[in-house]
Amino acid sequence: ILPFVSVNQILLLLLVLTVCAILYNRVHQVPSALKNETVDLESPEEMEEEIPVVICAAAGRMGAAIAAISSIYSNTEANVLFYIVGLKTTIPHIRKWIENSKLKEIKFKVVEFNPMVLKGKIRQDASRPELLQPLNFVRFYLPLLIQKHEKVIYLDDDIIVQGDIQELYDTKLAPGHAAAFSDDCDLPSTHEMVRSVGMQNTYMGFLDYRKQAIRDLGISPSTCSFNPGVIVANMTEWKHQRITKQLEKWMQRNVAENLYSSTLGGGVATSPMLLVFHGKYSTINPMWHIRHLGWSPDTHYSEHFLQEAKLLHWNGRYKPWDYPSVHTDLWEHWFIPDPSGKFKLTRPDS
């Protein structure tokens, strides 16, 4: 009997050990799989927040968008997604330019802007016709073009970024503010430039205070203006406050009543924003928007000041891809020639 019992016990013990081994393997495979998933989920590349940057690519100035994108991409390790907005006729050109240059590594989406949304909302202005280009108003329609992001950066095409775009993206917006801009009175070192070329940096330079509708707003004409060429926007607040509808309302009123003064500020796209965002915006670090580089071909900033700047903006008539212009070397450093040869720089010897 004893030998029989011993065999049974041995068989039972082996069975128990086999079951234990199977259970052990199964139990230990699960954490292994979870561990691998966790590594994938927590890898910096996967978890890194996407920074959406909106830039327009207009006919005749696509090289500007290319230089801007090149400067941003080259100066950051952040996970940037470029939204390149164009008209139907210009989109193939900009796409080919990117895909056939060193910018083919960037993450980008091309978005078509339909100028029909502007029908009946733009008053013709013979003094600055370039300001009436449809893409000049893309910034009014950010939530319609960019769907999935809470926070968005919009940049004019005539800029160069010398800092890490992550810093600009980290700009804090106060509760209830749909956007952050640069105050036109924010940097003492630019005041001399403003005075020397006769620029306006108050609401008086953009709105026609002879009109009762403007005076009724109760906004002092000496209120400091802001520049909407660089915007950090909160899409949730923008939609909640119906910012686009408010901007369109002022555009339509201007068509009927001619409320904007274009003689000094040229504020066809700026003026509605000054009206809608008056007293309701956060501010951007002044070094993240050094502007007025395009206002005069004769007025220069110091080289040291420009090296310290995080973002340079050639707002004004004198663009760095044309001639004459100032500080073109800082812009041209980031320019990538057009593989198709359609876009060419204008230079004294060209």
Side-chain angles (χ1 to χ4, degrees):
I1 292 173
L2 281 174
F4 179 75
V5 170
S6 296
V7 170
N8 278 341
Q9 285 177 333
I10 291 167
L11 289 173
L12 183 61
L13 182 61
L14 287 172
L15 182 62
V16 168
L17 288 172
T18 303
V19 171
C20 287
I22 292 169
L23 288 173
Y24 178 88
N25 284 335
R26 285 186 179 177
V27 167
H28 280 76
Q29 278 171 0
V30 175
S32 174
L34 283 176
K35 185 179 177 184
N36 288 337
E37 278 183 30
T38 305
V39 168
D40 288 339
L41 287 171
E42 290 183 353
S43 67
E45 202 167 270
E46 290 295 322
M47 291 299 288
E48 196 177 17
E49 188 174 10
E50 207 166 54
I51 298 179
V53 176
V54 179
I55 293 181
C56 295
R61 47 193 290 163
M62 284 190 202
I66 290 292
I69 292 167
S70 169
S71 70
I72 295 165
Y73 180 65
S74 302
N75 286 305
T76 188
E77 296 294 324
N79 182 21
V80 180
L81 172 60
F82 293 97
Y83 284 86
I84 302 167
V85 186
L87 302 180
K88 190 173 185 179
T89 51
T90 62
I91 283 174
H93 185 186
I94 195 74
R95 186 186 290 279
K96 196 169 289 187
W97 196 332
I98 290 170
E99 291 174 350
N100 289 283
S101 73
K102 63 183 181 182
L103 290 181
K104 62 179 178 285
E105 305 294 330
I106 69 169
K107 287 171 61 179
F108 74 101
K109 292 183 179 179
V110 176
V111 182
E112 182 183 338
F113 182 69
N114 184 353
M116 287 305 293
V117 300
L118 301 172
K119 191 174 181 181
K121 301 183 182 78
I122 301 178
R123 186 182 184 87
Q124 294 306 309
D125 182 355
S127 66
R128 295 291 302 276
E130 75 275 13
L131 296 176
L132 303 178
Q133 295 301 317
L135 295 180
N136 214 23
F137 300 91
V138 160
R139 69 197 93 189
F140 289 14
Y141 296 94
L142 291 176
L144 302 181
L145 299 166
I146 315 300
Q147 302 292 336
K148 65 173 186 171
H149 301 282
E150 167 74 11
K151 198 175 187 183
V152 171
I153 293 173
Y154 167 87
L155 300 174
D156 276 353
D157 60 359
D158 51 356
I159 64 100
I160 286 296
V161 172
Q162 301 186 136
D164 186 341
I165 198 75
Q166 181 76 53
E167 287 180 36
L168 181 61
Y169 185 75
D170 290 340
T171 298
K172 295 284 187 289
L173 273 67
H177 285 177
F181 306 99
S182 292
D183 270 327
D184 283 332
C185 311
D186 60 5
L187 207 58
S189 49
T190 65
H191 293 177
E192 186 181 336
M193 167 79 87
V194 169
R195 283 193 298 271
S196 68
V197 295
M199 280 184 295
Q200 290 289 327
N201 60 1
T202 65
Y203 273 53
M204 174 66 88
F206 294 89
L207 306 176
D208 189 347
Y209 276 84
R210 295 170 299 180
K211 299 294 170 67
Q212 191 62 42
I214 296 298
R215 293 201 301 272
D216 287 346
L217 295 171
I219 301 174
S220 168
S222 62
T223 301
C224 186
S225 53
F226 58 80
N227 187 300
V230 176
I231 308 172
V232 181
N234 180 312
M235 293 293 92
T236 302
E237 279 296 334
W238 193 293
K239 288 182 275 193
H240 176 68
Q241 296 178 33
R242 296 167 63 83
I243 297 293
T244 298
K245 289 293 180 190
Q246 291 187 59
L247 292 166
E248 288 184 324
K249 182 196 80 170
W250 282 109
M251 292 168 77
Q252 287 162 334
R253 285 196 67 176
N254 183 57
V255 169
E257 304 172 49
N258 194 18
L259 303 175
Y260 311 160
S261 169
S262 62
T263 51
L264 293 171
V268 220
T270 299
S271 298
M273 301 199 89
L274 292 177
L275 290 164
V276 170
F277 285 101
H278 175 251
K280 295 185 293 185
Y281 66 91
S282 299
T283 53
I284 289 169
N285 179 330
M287 297 306 286
W288 267 100
H289 195 177
I290 303 304
R291 44 209 180 277
H292 315 318
L293 276 76
W295 271 87
S296 166
D298 305 311
T299 311
H300 294 70
Y301 285 112
S302 77
E303 289 303 320
H304 174 73
F305 178 68
L306 293 178
Q307 292 300 331
E308 294 294 311
K310 305 286 190 177
L311 182 148
L312 304 175
H313 188 183
W314 279 262
N315 56 313
R317 296 174 186 265
Y318 301 97
K319 303 301 185 186
W321 54 90
D322 279 337
Y323 180 83
S325 183
V326 297
H327 305 298
T328 52
D329 55 322
L330 294 174
W331 182 88
E332 206 168 324
H333 177 72
W334 302 109
F335 174 68
I336 299 169
D338 182 1
S340 74
K342 292 176 187 173
F343 182 94
K344 293 182 175 66
L345 302 183
T346 305
R347 295 295 181 254
D349 53 354
S350 62

